[in-house]
Each structure stands twice: as C-alpha cells, then as structure tokens.
Amino acid sequence: MKRRIRLGVNIDHVATVRNARRTFEPDPVHAAVIADLAGADQITLHVREDRRHVNERDLKLIKELIHSRVNLEMAITKEMIELALKVKPHQTTLVPEKRQEITTEGGLDVVGNFEKVKEAVSKLKEAGITVNIFIDPEEEQIRKAKEAGADAVELHTGAYAEAFAENDEEKVKRELNRIKKGAKFAKEIGLKVYAGHGLTYKNVKPIAQIEEIEELNIGHSIVANAILLGMKEAVEKMVRLINE
Ligand code: PXP
C-alpha cells in the first residue's frame, strides 16, 4: 500500500498578519478550522515567549474546535510546560527559541541541554502528550533525543531549503543526504521521523520521498499561497460590494 504522509499546517503567520494591525482578522482559529476541513492531519502552532504570533486564546480555541490533531511547538520553559499541561495538545514539538530570531533558526541542542530536555519530555509524556523534538539531522542529536525519551524527531530542513533557494545543486544534494541519513538512523533506533522548516511547493517533493518520514510541518509557504490564491476572490468581492 502507498505510504501516506501526514501534513501539519502551521498557522502562525496568519496570526502575524492579524497582529500587524492588532485587530481580529485574519483569525488563526478560522484558518485552523479551514485547514482542518481541507484535510490537514494536524494544526501546528508556536506560542512564543513574546507572543509575536499566536497566543493562549488561539491555542485553546483551536484545541477545542478542530477535529484533527494539535501540535504545539514550544521552548523548554516553565511557562510553556505549564501551558502544555493545561491545554493538553496531542503533540508538543520542543524547539529552541531566541527572541531576536526571525524564525526558529537551528534545531534544539539536545546534547548540550540533555537534563533539561529529559525532564521536560518526562513531564509532557506523563500527561499523555506525544513528544517530538526539532533537531538538526545529526546522529548525536538524534541519539540523545531517543535517550531523553522522545517519541519522534522532526529533522530540520532549513539548510536544505536555503540551498534549494540558492540553486546550489551540490549543497542541495549534500543537505538532502544528511536528512536521509538522519531519517534512517532515527527510525533504526525506534523514533518516529518527521521533517519541517522552509518547505515550499517547489522543494517539498524530495523530502516527501524519504521513506522514513511520516509527517511534515509546513507553514510559511502555505500561508503565502493562501494569500495569493485568495487575492482574486477577495478583490472581486470588495469591488462588487462598493458598487452595489
Ligand atoms: N517545524 C518547526 C519545528 C518550526 O519551528 C517551523 C516554523 O515555525 C515549521 C516546522 C514550519 O516552518 P515554515 O513556516 O518555514 O514552513
């Protein structure tokens, strides 16, 4: 039977547009419901320390309203662990977080933060939440993620995406091989394997073809396409309205 990959739709950037005007639209909760109805297997969102996009209200409503799974990306802080334990998403993805970064720039350093990661994994798993760790596709990080008790690792595809955007074929090949090798190793040691970050309609196929990968989490490119593909209808509707 053909393998099916789960799609987690990250709706953070719908909230980025909302927050640019400190208003109520577009509502990421509405976006989550539509993505859910359209066939997303999961809604992914990252409540950041500075709440630059989604917030607790969005998380709670999405958890209540959607029928697929909720995947909360979170830094390993006391505040975020408490929030996860309260809202109980189906899955959490542990990510590093720096205030200044534009997006999550590197994978979580599980090797360097082992005890902290292990403690967080254990608290979340005790509450029945699946734990995924976002890491660079490096053997040592993968091994430590398993040792920390994670259920899954999400391999960071950012370097691959960057190489793809630069049209650097050699680098694309190198980065793709790193991800393939990481995926194989992770599966061998008993982890579920996911991938994400910087994936677009143009670069996603070679990643989706990696046999071990069960789930992809994609945000920016889907939101970008939603804005553009919806533009025609939105403008036509306004022209009609003001001329009625
Ligand atoms: N996976 C993780 C762990 C992320 O932090 C992000 C970005 O929030 C994504 C996937 C989605 O990345 P993008 O918006 O580039 O598709």
Side-chain angles (χ1 to χ4, degrees), residues 11 14-15 18 24-33 57-58 61-62:
I11 46 79
V14 175
R18 173 191 64 186
F24 60 89
E25 68 173 2
D27 194 324
V29 178
H30 292 178
V33 170
R57 171 260 181 204
D58 304 329
L61 286 175
I62 287 171

Side-chain angles (χ1 to χ4, degrees), residues 45-72:
L45 66 170
H46 184 179
V47 178
R48 283 179 174 262
E49 192 190 358
D50 63 6
R51 307 295 190 274
R52 76 170 73 145
H53 24 64
V54 290
N55 55 37
E56 286 90 335
R57 171 260 181 204
D58 304 329
L59 171 65
K60 283 179 195 154
L61 286 175
I62 287 171
K63 172 76 197 314
E64 226 168 281
L65 291 175
I66 68 156
H67 298 289
S68 54
R69 294 154 46 93
V70 175
N71 173 32
L72 174 66

